[in-house]
């Protein structure tokens, strides 16, 4: 990021030796005391002072005592409590997550969940040291066995993802692995006798497609369900020889949060069980001990089964479930079994078999009804294609389900300029379970456009967690890599965050919508009260965030990665998109002030700031190009820049070839002529976006116009084009939002805006649905010539916005 420089680290507290020197300079010599000696009645001499001198002495002692106390306090603080660098100093304000509305019933209701999005099925609690659960299985690829656990592109699953998930207590997921289909269903229950957070159940169903399954690899499946205690508590296996037809109890243990607990497995199918217990200090790669145990058993006994053995005080238990296709098994964890009213058998029965089937069916119906109530797709004319409209409904449900099912809980320390942030927790949605299974700040604002409509309480919880990460300067790390599991998925060079880099403040998108919802009476009285309390507590943090951006007002590391900016960064550079984001933020801050009857502080008149940023005359002076009829960035720029192979001397008699930037002309201060997602003015813009030679495709709008000198060009030798042509759904949501607005406004361009909007919306829905049908996934981006999905998948982050495009739910412009 260019722009005004910022000092991110305050100098540390003075050293102890410096403090000692200061202490010496402050010491005072005691004045001589005027005294005389008189004989006592006992014949010895004792000092006798006059009354006046005694008062002086007492005063001096009093002053000396406080000087000594002050110096000791100062020295002890300078040694034990050094001042933190500003970059890693928390913002000094009450935490949002300490509000009463996030405690009590709300907190307990969200305690357990599928909060480990990076694995195919992972369950944990929202606490730093949780009891965790997860699923592995043996799949077949290229004629070889492979252990599935962590979501990876290399596994080449035909599809996987939550087709329904309500974000709280229910989820339904389908995974297709080379002819084998796993269905996993998750259900939570809070009954009388349950411990904190209640109980949960997982149903796993295994099927095969005989036309795609090689029976040479067996007629049965091998599952591995595990429990792992991050706190290191020992887990107990119920007995040496497991037989579920005799007793459903598999394991038990005890924790401070949920009390005593039990794990049960029930099935009407003929299943064989084996187990292994491990004592492991780090739990971020649980596949390794399982693979090592299986390899040892194959070598010793020529059998693919766990060893039926335990390490001393194991904190990880793995249960191998072997069964012929098809089979179904129910696994239940019940908490609080140490309570007198625990009713273990009754609660296990309620979460298995027919009772579980009925509960899951009810939850599925409840999801469908809520989906229809919120998005109202059955009454929408999506694209006037009966087949696609029918498929679009299931794609919309999968988009919402996998977004909610991908919400995770993380705890750890971010790394900022190779320093550690304070230990923090983060509850957040993630862009992609396979490739980006962690929190990304600028993605999260788009996620919340869906989530707040689904569950305002979950949305406020997530936004609150993000805002509690703000530092004393008003900066929030853009990518959150918290905890060993998250850290294990990120290349080392991408781990450190830099406090001069910030992504767009997209959380204001969701907050702006929520505030509009308040104005339109879309919430209950209780929700209105809680939202108002949230905004009141959050305001000081939002204000700090706003002013951090204000200091970086001219430029922004936009999140558009390789989107063309000025060729030569300088202090004179001004980014168009940053101006737009600041307008949104200022307008949102002004709305909060009005909503809460807050007075504007000196220098913090957000209404005036918004009006200034909305001044088209000023905007045009800085960013409008009359020749193109478009808005551009302004900066030190030349178009005569290219990547060129060059020979570099790497050592004696040794040279290497590298693709390096070659500048063929001096840059000058000018508008940066690249038409893309940053350009917008009404009549001319309607022409630009509908021009097939620039942005328009049959699959959505390109991220960069075809006429750009950098269209589909590599940024470096190993950095292919990213935002230089492909279709991205977050921006293809924002542009239809504006088109939809102008299609409703009376004016000379209303009909043209309506026609373009209708066709663009149809193209986007049709292509995303087609790709989902063909590939089983929503994708990070879409290729602009044939519409094929590209990049990370499943990408049910902002690509999930397709459901809002279907619903024509755009908020205000």
């Amino acid at each position: 990021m260019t722009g005004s420089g910022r000092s991110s680290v305050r100098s540390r507290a003075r050293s102890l030796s410096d403090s000692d020197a200061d202490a010496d300079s402050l010491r005072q010599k005691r004045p001589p005391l005027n005294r005389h000696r008189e004989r006592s009645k006992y014949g010895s001499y004792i000092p006798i002072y006059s009354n006046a001198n005694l008062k002086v002495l007492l005063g001096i002692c009093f002053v000396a005592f406080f000087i000594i106390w002050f110096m000791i306090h100062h020295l002890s603080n300078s040694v034990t409590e050094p001042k933190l660098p500003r970059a890693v100093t928390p913002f000094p304000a009450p935490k949002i997550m300490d509000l009463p509305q996030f405690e009590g019933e709300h907190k307990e209701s969200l305690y357990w969940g599928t909060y480990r999005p990076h694995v195919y099925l992972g369950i944990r609690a929202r606490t730093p040291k949780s009891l965790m659960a997860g699923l592995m299985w043996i799949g077949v690829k290229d004629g070889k066995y492979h252990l599935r656990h962590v979501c990876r592109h290399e596994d080449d699953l035909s599809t996987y993802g939550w087709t329904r998930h309500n974000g709280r207590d229910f989820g339904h997921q389908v995974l297709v692995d080379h002819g084998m289909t796993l269905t996993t269903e998750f259900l939570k229950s809070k009954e009388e006798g349950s411990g904190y957070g209640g109980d949960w159940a997982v149903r796993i169903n295994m099927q095969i497609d005989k036309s795609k399954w090689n029976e040479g690899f067996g007629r049965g499946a091998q599952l591995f369900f595990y429990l792992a205690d991050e706190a290191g508590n020992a887990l107990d296996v119920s007995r040496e020889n497991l037989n579920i037809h005799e007793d459903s109890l598999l394991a038990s243990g005890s924790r401070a949060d949920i009390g005593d607990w039990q794990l049960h497995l029930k099935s009407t199918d003929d299943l064989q069980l084996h187990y292994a217990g491990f004592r492991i200090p780090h739990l971020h790669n649980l596949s390794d001990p399982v693979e090592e145990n299986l390899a040892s058993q194959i070598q010793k006994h020529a059998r693919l089964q766990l060893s039926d053995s335990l390490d001393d005080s194991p904190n990880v238990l793995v249960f191998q479930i072997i069964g012929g296709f098809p089979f179904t098994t129910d696994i239940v964890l019940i908490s609080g079994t140490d309570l007198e009213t625990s009713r273990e058998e009754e609660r296990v029965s309620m979460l298995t078999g027919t009772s579980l089937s009925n509960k899951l069916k009810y939850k599925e119906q409840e999801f469908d009804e809520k989906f229809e109530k919120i998005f109202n797709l059955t009454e929408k004319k999506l694209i006037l294609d009966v087949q696609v409209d029918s498929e679009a409904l299931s794609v919309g449900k999968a988009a919402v389900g996998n977004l909610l099912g991908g919400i995770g809980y993380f705890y750890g320390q971010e790394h900022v300029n190779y320093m550690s942030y304070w230990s923090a927790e983060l509850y957040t949605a993630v862009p992609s379970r396979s490739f980006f299974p962690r929190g990304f700040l600028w993605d999260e604002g788009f996620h919340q456009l869906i989530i707040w409509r689904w569950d305002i309480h979950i949305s406020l919880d997530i936004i609150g967690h993000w805002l509690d990460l703000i530092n004393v300067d008003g900066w929030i790390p853009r990518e959150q890599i918290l905890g060993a599991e998250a850290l294990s998925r990120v290349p080392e060079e991408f781990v450190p965050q830099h406090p001069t880099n910030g992504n767009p403040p997209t959380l204001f998108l969701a907050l702006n919508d929520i505030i509009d919802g308040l104005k339109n009476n879309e919430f209950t009285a209780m929700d209105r009260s809680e939202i108002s309390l949230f905004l009141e507590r959050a305001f000081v943090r939002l204000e700090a965030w706003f002013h951090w951006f204000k200091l970086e007002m001219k430029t922004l590391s936009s999140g558009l990665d390789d989107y063309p900016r000025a060729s030569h960064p300088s202090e004179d550079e001004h980014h168009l998109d940053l101006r737009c984001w600041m307008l949104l933020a200022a307008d949102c801050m002004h709305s909060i002030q009005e909503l809460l009857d807050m007075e504007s502080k000196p220098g913090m008149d957000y209404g005036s700031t918004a009006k200034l940023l909305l001044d088209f005359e000023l905007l045009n002076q800085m960013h409008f190009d009359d020749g193109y009829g478009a808005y551009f960035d302004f900066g030190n720029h030349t178009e005569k820049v290219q990547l060129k192979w060059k020979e570099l001397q790497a050592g004696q008699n040794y040279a290497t070839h590298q693709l390096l930037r070659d500048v063929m002309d001096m840059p000058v201060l000018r508008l940066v002529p690249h038409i893309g997602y940053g350009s917008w003015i009404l009549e001319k813009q309607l022409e630009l976006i509908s021009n097939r030679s620039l942005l328009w495709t049959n699959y959505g709008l390109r991220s960069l116009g075809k006429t750009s000198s950098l269209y589909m060009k590599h940024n470096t030798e190993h950095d292919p084009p990213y935002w230089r042509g492909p279709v991205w759904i977050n921006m293809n949501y924002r542009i239809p939002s504006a088109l939809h607005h102008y299609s409703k406004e009376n004016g000379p361009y209303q009909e043209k805006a309506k026609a373009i909007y209708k066709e663009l919306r149809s193209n986007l829905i049709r292509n995303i649905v087609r790709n989902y049908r063909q590939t089983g996934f929503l994708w990070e981006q879409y290729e602009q010539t044939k519409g094929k999905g590209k990049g990370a998948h499943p990408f049910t982050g902002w690509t999930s916005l397709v459901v809002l495009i279907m619903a024509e739910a755009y908020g205000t412009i």
Side-chain angles (χ1 to χ4, degrees), residues 384-404:
L384 300 179
D385 182 313
V386 175
Q387 180 182 356
V388 176
D389 280 5
S390 175
E391 292 174 343
L393 192 60
S394 62
V395 172
K397 291 177 182 178
V400 172
N402 213 36
L403 176 63
L404 293 166

Side-chain angles (χ1 to χ4, degrees), residues 624-774:
F624 189 67
D625 186 295
D626 291 315
Y628 284 95
Y631 289 106
F632 295 132
D633 288 343
F634 178 85
N636 201 28
H637 183 72
T638 176
E639 282 289 281
K640 295 186 177 180
V641 180
Q642 64 180 10
L643 290 177
K644 192 174 182 179
W645 286 103
K646 293 186 178 181
E647 185 176 287
L648 299 178
Q649 199 68 29
Q652 291 184 347
N653 303 319
Y654 178 68
T656 62
H657 286 79
Q658 293 187 26
L659 197 59
L660 301 175
R661 191 169 92 145
D662 185 44
V663 180
M664 296 165 286
D665 196 8
M666 290 294 293
V668 296
L669 287 174
R670 56 174 290 189
L671 292 169
V672 183
H674 295 287
I675 296 174
Y677 288 155
S679 307
W680 194 256
I681 193 172
L682 192 52
E683 180 182 16
K684 185 63 177 178
Q685 298 311 303
L686 292 176
E687 294 175 5
L688 290 175
I689 65 173
S690 59
N691 187 336
R692 292 182 178 273
S693 298
L694 288 173
L695 299 176
W696 189 269
T697 78
N698 291 333
Y699 318 105
L701 298 178
R702 296 181 179 92
S703 49
L704 185 62
K706 288 178 68 176
T707 56
S708 170
S709 59
L710 293 177
Y711 177 72
M712 292 308 292
K713 296 288 180 65
H714 275 59
N715 194 38
T716 68
E717 178 183 355
H718 305 292
D719 190 7
Y722 200 48
W723 290 86
R724 296 185 173 183
V727 175
W728 291 82
I729 303 306
N730 58 336
M731 293 305 166
N732 272 277
Y733 168 76
R734 296 298 296 161
I735 294 171
S737 299
L739 286 168
H740 184 259
H741 168 78
Y742 288 116
S743 73
K744 303 293 184 181
E745 291 288 315
N746 291 326
Y749 312 115
Q750 181 181 15
E751 290 304 315
K752 187 171 186 178
K754 185 182 295 185
I756 295 173
Y757 165 74
K758 182 178 178 181
E759 187 175 357
L760 176 58
R761 176 173 173 268
S762 175
N763 287 346
L764 288 164
I765 295 171
R766 188 188 302 274
N767 189 57
I768 292 172
V769 170
R770 177 177 63 86
N771 269 273
Y772 188 86
R773 180 179 68 245
Q774 293 176 351

Side-chain angles (χ1 to χ4, degrees), residues 148 163 180 185 526 559 598 607 643 645 666 746 757 791:
R148 313 295 198 205
T163 58
M180 181 166 56
E185 296 176 282
M526 178 66 74
M598 300 172 67
L643 290 177
W645 286 103
M666 290 294 293
N746 291 326
Y757 165 74

Side-chain angles (χ1 to χ4, degrees), residues 574-595:
H574 293 264
H575 288 171
L576 172 64
D577 54 336
L578 177 57
R579 185 186 183 100
C580 297
W581 286 116
M582 294 304 291
L583 170 58
L584 168 70
D587 187 58
C588 188
M589 295 294 285
H590 179 59
S591 294
I592 296 174
Q593 286 181 318
E594 288 188 324
L595 188 71

